[in-house]
């Protein structure tokens, strides 16, 4: 299938390469016997705005939990991050709008902690907004933002001034990799760290299944729109003709594995075509398209993942309801 071949010509512009890889991933997902799309592509401008709405909605408890942890335990976090007079690079993977990180930035700045802030995010607009705001609020803080793919950027980072790294991966973003994918993620990060470097991860914990399910089915319908928005984006950017109103948003949660999954389900037999690509896909009535996994964890899983991937758990920070944990790991030899 020629359309699956990645195009790698030197003369291609970055925009073109991004377009081709988006197209290739979408075509691959829709050609699969169990159709899927990648949640990585949720975050265009409209998607980022919808995600901010989700985070502000009370049904989506995750953001408030992590905010509470940072707000109430910022000093303990500072102490755990920083013992020696040696400064560090704080690398924030998927910094987004920085709503929670700003609590730490402010506390660290007020206490003269020597560090440099390196936010890395795939969406440009929220990152530029965040960087402008923190440069205004903390004029002495060194900020070096990077826009693009986490690993590509992390492996090419030129960290002068400080050698030590503390990598933040907040908000249960790790959940989008699923359990196995999470292990791969941690192993890849570990290779970019030296013993003594740290990884600070936000994990959403297993809890009342209904509470979890409601978080992916908020009453205002933002999560539904967030999922459907990817179809809109594909229509616009890849010239497809999804009929948005013939798909329903259907989240499920499996309390045993801890996997929350979202599907868009086709409510009728239909065909979706990609203009210009000369290709189309048949959808059966009630055929699902797998959109996203948001893995939930327990403490045993977290402990095991750390050990398997070359880390030790230094300290866990919980919210008052034990809904969420920010786990601080240290890279070991
Ligand atoms: C940004 C990956 C943490 O999975 O909870 C929110 C994304 N999807 N509502 C999550 C999301 C639907 C979110 N993460």
């Amino acid at each position: 299938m020629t359309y699956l071949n990645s195009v790698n010509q030197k003369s291609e512009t970055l925009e073109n390469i991004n377009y081709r890889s988006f197209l290739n991933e979408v075509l691959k997902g829709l050609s699969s016997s169990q159709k899927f799309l990648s949640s990585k592509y949720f975050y265009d401008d409209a998607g980022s705005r919808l995600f901010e709405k989700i985070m502000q909605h009370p049904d989506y408890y995750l953001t408030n939990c992590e905010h509470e942890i940072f707000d109430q335990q910022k000093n303990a976090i500072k102490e755990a991050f920083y013992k020696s007079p040696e400064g560090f690079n704080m690398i924030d993977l998927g910094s987004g709008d920085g709503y929670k990180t700003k609590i730490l930035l402010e506390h660290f700045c007020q206490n003269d902690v020597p560090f440099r802030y390196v936010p890395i995010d795939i969406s440009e607009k929220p990152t530029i907004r965040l960087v402008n705001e923190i440069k205004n609020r903390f004029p002495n803080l060194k900020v070096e933002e990077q826009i693009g793919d986490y690993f590509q950027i992390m492996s090419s980072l030129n960290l002068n001034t400080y050698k030590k790294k503390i990598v933040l991966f907040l908000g249960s973003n790790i959940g989008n990799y699923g359990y196995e994918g999470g292990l791969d993620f941690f192993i890849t990060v570990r290779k970019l760290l030296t013993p003594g470097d740290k990884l600070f991860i936000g994990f959403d914990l297993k809890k009342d299944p209904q509470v979890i399910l409601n978080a992916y089915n908020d009453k205002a319908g933002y999560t539904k729109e967030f999922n459907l928005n990817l179809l809109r984006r594909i229509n616009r950017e890849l010239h497809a003709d999804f009929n948005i109103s013939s798909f329903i948003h259907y989240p499920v949660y499996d309390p045993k594995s801890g996997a929350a999954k979202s599907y868009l389900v086709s409510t009728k037999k239909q065909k979706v075509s990609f203009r210009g690509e000369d290709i189309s896909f048949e959808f059966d009535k009630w055929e699902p398209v797998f959109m996203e996994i948001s893995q939930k964890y327990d403490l045993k899983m977290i402990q095991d993942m750390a050990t398997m991937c070359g880390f030790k758990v230094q300290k866990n920070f919980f919210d008052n309801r034990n809904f969420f944990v920010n786990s601080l790991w240290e890279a070991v030899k």
Side-chain angles (χ1 to χ4, degrees):
M1 283 186 276
T2 52
Y3 61 83
L4 289 179
N5 295 340
S6 66
V7 179
N8 244 334
Q9 288 164 2
K10 277 210 189 93
S11 59
E12 268 211 303
T13 63
L14 185 61
E15 207 175 317
N16 236 323
I17 291 168
N18 288 340
Y19 171 82
R20 294 297 312 179
S21 46
F22 182 28
L23 179 67
N24 284 345
E25 277 200 61
V26 167
L27 296 182
K28 181 172 170 227
L30 296 181
S31 323
S32 163
S33 61
Q34 303 196 38
K35 292 187 174 65
F36 65 91
L37 292 169
S38 168
S39 59
K40 170 165 106 191
Y41 294 108
F42 280 177
Y43 302 89
D44 63 351
D45 291 343
S48 299
R49 278 198 301 275
L50 281 164
F51 183 56
E52 287 177 19
K53 293 279 187 202
I54 292 171
M55 288 193 291
Q56 287 158 17
H57 196 282
D59 285 340
Y60 192 75
Y61 57 84
L62 289 77
T63 311
N64 291 335
C65 290
E66 197 171 46
H67 190 271
E68 179 202 302
I69 293 170
F70 285 13
D71 198 44
Q72 297 187 356
Q73 302 179 64
K74 56 189 174 220
N75 206 52
I77 294 171
K78 186 195 81 168
E79 303 284 305
F81 273 19
Y82 171 74
K83 281 189 210 89
S84 66
E86 188 201 352
F88 56 88
N89 294 289
M90 189 158 92
I91 300 162
D92 190 359
L93 300 182
S95 40
D97 68 355
Y99 171 64
K100 295 148 294 178
T101 320
K102 277 184 272 186
I103 302 172
L104 298 184
L105 295 178
E106 178 174 37
H107 187 69
F108 291 4
C109 286
Q110 283 169 352
N111 287 278
D112 300 317
V113 174
F115 74 110
R116 181 191 317 157
Y117 181 54
V118 186
I120 304 180
D121 203 283
I122 182 164
S123 340
E124 187 165 2
K125 284 194 183 161
T127 311
I128 290 171
R129 237 189 295 141
L130 171 67
V131 167
N132 286 337
E133 190 196 332
I134 52 187
K135 281 187 174 160
N136 264 316
R137 259 173 73 186
F138 317 111
N140 295 327
L141 177 63
K142 297 189 208 75
V143 184
E144 282 177 28
E145 74 277 12
Q146 304 274 347
I147 291 155
D149 179 82
Y150 302 148
F151 291 117
Q152 258 164 30
I153 291 172
M154 263 191 67
S155 52
S156 68
L157 276 184
N158 176 20
L159 301 172
N160 33 37
T161 323
Y162 310 121
K163 279 202 292 265
K164 193 170 183 217
K165 297 189 191 84
I166 300 184
V167 177
L168 310 186
F169 198 47
L170 304 177
S172 207
N173 275 331
I174 188 65
N176 274 177
Y177 292 84
Y179 181 73
E180 300 290 330
L183 293 174
D184 294 341
F185 179 91
F186 292 136
I187 288 167
T188 308
V189 174
R190 177 62 189 82
K191 288 186 189 139
L192 301 169
L193 302 181
T194 11
D197 285 346
K198 294 177 201 290
L199 180 54
F200 191 51
I201 316 136
F203 291 104
D204 192 22
L205 295 172
K206 293 181 178 175
K207 59 181 68 62
D208 180 344
Q210 194 60 54
V211 171
I212 291 176
L213 198 52
N214 293 348
Y216 296 93
N217 209 5
D218 68 273
K219 283 186 222 67
Y222 295 131
T223 313
K224 178 185 98 185
E225 287 307 318
F226 185 54
N227 280 268
L228 291 172
N229 180 62
L230 180 50
L231 303 188
R232 289 200 188 90
R233 180 180 186 181
I234 292 169
N235 280 353
R236 191 179 60 246
E237 294 185 18
L238 304 179
H239 318 293
D241 62 358
F242 276 101
N243 177 3
I244 311 295
S245 59
S246 58
F247 288 87
I248 52 168
H249 167 237
Y250 189 77
V252 294
Y253 175 62
D254 172 19
K256 184 162 186 293
S257 66
K261 293 181 179 175
S262 286
Y263 295 91
L264 287 176
V265 180
S266 174
T267 57
K268 60 181 192 196
K269 183 175 164 58
Q270 57 182 318
K271 191 163 106 180
V272 173
S273 305
F274 285 70
R275 232 185 312 127
E277 290 307 311
D278 195 22
I279 183 164
S280 62
F281 299 94
E282 293 284 346
F283 289 73
D284 285 335
K285 191 170 186 174
W286 306 126
E287 183 175 349
V289 183
F290 170 59
M291 302 295 285
E292 184 179 39
I293 179 162
S294 302
Q295 179 67 42
K296 308 304 166 191
Y297 307 84
D298 56 43
L299 291 177
K300 168 121 179 29
M301 290 163 87
I302 292 171
Q303 177 64 59
D304 290 349
M305 286 190 289
T307 314
M308 280 189 276
C309 302
F311 294 90
K312 68 165 193 252
V313 179
Q314 184 187 328
K315 198 172 162 132
N316 284 326
F317 301 86
F318 297 91
D319 65 300
N320 295 323
R321 292 179 294 184
N322 287 320
F323 273 17
F324 197 93
V325 64
N326 283 105
S327 192
L328 183 61
W329 295 4
E330 189 180 309
V332 291
K333 285 199 194 79

